[in-house]
Amino acid sequence: MQLPIQSQSALYAEPWEASAAPADLARIARAADRSGFAYIASCDHVAIPRRLAEGMSTVWYDPVATLAYLAGITERVLLLSHVAVVGLRHPLITAKQYATLDHLSGGRLILGVGAGHVREEFEAVGADFDGRGPVLDETIDALRAALGPEEYPEFAGERFSFGGLGQLPRPAQERVPVWVGGSSPAAVRRAAVRGDGWLPQGDPRDRLPAQIARVRELRAEAGVEEPIVIGAITEPLYVGEPGWPVGRRTLAGKPEELAASLREYAAMGVHQIQVRFRSRSAAELTDQMAAFGADVAPHLDRSDQ
């Protein structure tokens, strides 16, 4: 699941998040760890211009700092950047941050990357907004080298090159998985050709099968034989009968009913689903997470229902 509190866009933040504290974020991360969630995720924005602040808000925690803090108070849950706008930084800087995070967490990092969409953010740090797609492609290639096992990684590209520069510690994982976010044709191609996973950006159920087929087609054309992890972001969820207006798009009801609906994603070829729960407080959210882990998740991999 994407963590609340750390990003508070008007598209999805609940009212209670505005006054939440770090202790609430820690409580939710521990609940994810305890309830069997695969990963917790944190977003990435450096600065939000005034023209976008009303909708996006300016609350965007730094993902490396956030995930490192939560790594220290959890044991097994994986740590996903969803997504790191790596074009804002030189690949060696990104590699230093995330290699350290993977090292400190005992190999729990999934590096989710994306192109970004806020022009002013790029311009403020001197990054190339108009060329962000090609920059991201090369950055992924550079990060493959910089996050590998070598103390002195080497890479030579059109925009970045490095060699003879040592970076320790190395990641705990031999290969840090890179998941590519986005649903545009360019993002789908990037995920298919360069990614270990694909994180679609809100594709509805009726659009996912065609998108997944395109990912597989492009991957085969590129000759990439390694499997790719296909993701999806589900509709908002509420386990049980809410007793308050949770919105018409929210899936609510008995655990078996929710599981039956969510299993439809697996039938499309989805391997992991990112969930978001409607809630009125941090306590209600952690209760929802516990109910999902105990009563819904055990039914998700049953194909006989």
Side-chain angles (χ1 to χ4, degrees), residues 7-304:
S7 68
Q8 295 187 28
S9 167
L11 290 175
Y12 49 72
E14 299 284 10
W16 64 265
E17 296 178 45
S19 59
D24 296 305
L25 189 63
R27 177 182 180 182
I28 293 160
R30 290 191 182 103
D33 202 40
R34 186 171 58 248
S35 300
F37 283 64
Y39 64 74
I40 49 177
S42 181
C43 303
D44 182 24
H45 278 291
V46 170
I48 306 301
R50 290 185 186 276
R51 69 179 179 89
L52 299 175
E54 183 177 356
M56 291 182 65
S57 92
T58 59
V59 179
W60 296 86
Y61 288 27
D62 178 79
V64 178
T66 302
L67 294 174
Y69 165 62
L70 298 176
I73 60 173
T74 55
E75 296 180 356
R76 51 150 299 277
V77 70
L78 301 179
L79 310 164
L80 169 66
S81 58
H82 188 186
V83 287
V85 185
V86 292
L88 294 172
R89 308 164 183 89
H90 191 283
L92 281 180
I93 295 175
T94 299
K96 168 59 72 173
Q97 294 175 309
Y98 283 99
T100 303
L101 173 57
D102 194 64
H103 175 79
L104 290 173
S105 68
R108 290 195 274 151
L109 171 66
I110 304 171
L111 180 58
V113 301
H117 65 94
V118 180
R119 176 179 289 275
E120 293 94 329
E121 192 172 35
F122 278 72
E123 293 174 346
V125 300
D128 183 0
F129 180 79
D130 292 326
R132 65 194 185 281
V135 168
L136 177 54
D137 289 340
E138 186 169 314
T139 298
I140 293 172
D141 295 341
L143 286 170
R144 289 289 190 198
L147 290 172
E150 298 298 325
E151 179 180 353
Y152 292 87
E154 295 190 2
F155 178 79
E158 294 183 11
R159 299 164 182 82
F160 309 112
S161 63
F162 46 84
L165 296 168
Q167 283 193 331
L168 291 179
R170 305 312 301 152
Q173 299 178 83
E174 184 174 339
R175 178 185 173 96
V176 172
V178 176
W179 290 3
V180 177
S183 294
S184 69
V188 168
R189 176 176 292 276
R190 185 173 298 118
V193 174
R194 286 182 162 84
D196 301 305
W198 176 48
L199 294 162
Q201 189 60 44
D203 288 87
R205 294 194 190 204
D206 59 359
R207 191 175 177 221
L208 270 174
Q211 289 278 70
I212 293 170
R214 182 61 175 157
V215 169
R216 299 195 188 285
E217 177 187 13
L218 291 168
R219 199 166 179 85
E221 289 176 0
V224 183
E225 297 181 354
E226 292 84 1
I228 184 169
V229 178
I230 302 293
I233 300 175
T234 74
E235 302 85 350
L237 303 176
Y238 195 92
V239 184
E241 298 302 327
W244 58 283
V246 294
R248 61 182 182 83
R249 288 190 62 250
T250 299
L251 298 178
K254 297 178 180 178
E256 297 84 357
E257 296 170 345
L258 294 182
S261 179
L262 295 176
R263 283 198 300 272
E264 294 176 9
Y265 284 102
M268 299 176 197
V270 171
H271 303 114
Q272 64 89 8
I273 52 174
Q274 186 174 123
V275 296
R276 178 178 290 276
F277 303 95
R278 294 301 319 273
S279 60
R280 294 164 294 179
S281 66
E284 185 171 28
L285 175 56
T286 54
D287 286 347
Q288 281 287 301
M289 293 168 66
F292 187 89
D295 301 328
V296 180
H299 298 289
L300 291 180
D301 61 354
R302 295 182 62 180
S303 59
D304 58 338

